């Protein structure tokens, strides 16, 4: 099967994960309070997005 060159992307998940991990490690070594603040903000954003994603799929029985 031929691949469509126009639909290929340059985004690679593992490269992104490694980059974020390296940035967070550097932030942790520099300032632990900023690291914890960013981590807590990311977690709260994740929880908010997860609850929003699942709330539209449930139907209440009356």
């Amino acid at each position: 099967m031929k691949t469509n060159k126009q639909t290929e992307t340059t985004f690679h998940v593992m490269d992104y994960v490694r980059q974020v991990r390296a940035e967070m490690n550097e932030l942790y070594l520099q300032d632990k309070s900023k690291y914890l603040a960013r981590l807590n903000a990311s977690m709260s954003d994740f929880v908010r997005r997860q609850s929003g994603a699942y709330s539209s799929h449930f139907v209440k029985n009356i």
Side-chain angles (χ1 to χ4, degrees), residues 16-44:
Y16 176 75
V17 169
R18 288 182 188 109
Q19 177 186 354
V20 170
R21 186 183 305 141
E23 290 173 4
M24 291 298 284
N25 285 340
E26 187 66 31
L27 184 60
Y28 178 78
L29 293 173
Q30 289 177 357
D31 189 352
K32 290 177 179 58
S33 62
K34 286 183 182 179
Y35 168 81
L36 289 174
R38 184 170 173 189
L39 189 63
N40 287 332
S42 297
M43 240 355 246
S44 64

Side-chain angles (χ1 to χ4, degrees), residues 3-62:
T3 59
N4 186 351
K5 297 284 183 183
Q6 294 175 346
T7 60
E8 291 181 356
T9 63
T10 59
F11 179 76
H12 298 281
V13 172
M14 291 311 298
D15 291 336
Y16 176 75
V17 169
R18 288 182 188 109
Q19 177 186 354
V20 170
R21 186 183 305 141
E23 290 173 4
M24 291 298 284
N25 285 340
E26 187 66 31
L27 184 60
Y28 178 78
L29 293 173
Q30 289 177 357
D31 189 352
K32 290 177 179 58
S33 62
K34 286 183 182 179
Y35 168 81
L36 289 174
R38 184 170 173 189
L39 189 63
N40 287 332
S42 297
M43 240 355 246
S44 64
D45 183 51
F46 171 77
V47 169
R48 182 182 54 81
R49 288 175 187 243
Q50 282 294 99
S51 65
Y54 288 111
S55 66
S56 63
H57 295 291
F58 291 113
V59 177
K60 293 183 179 180
N61 292 333
I62 300 178

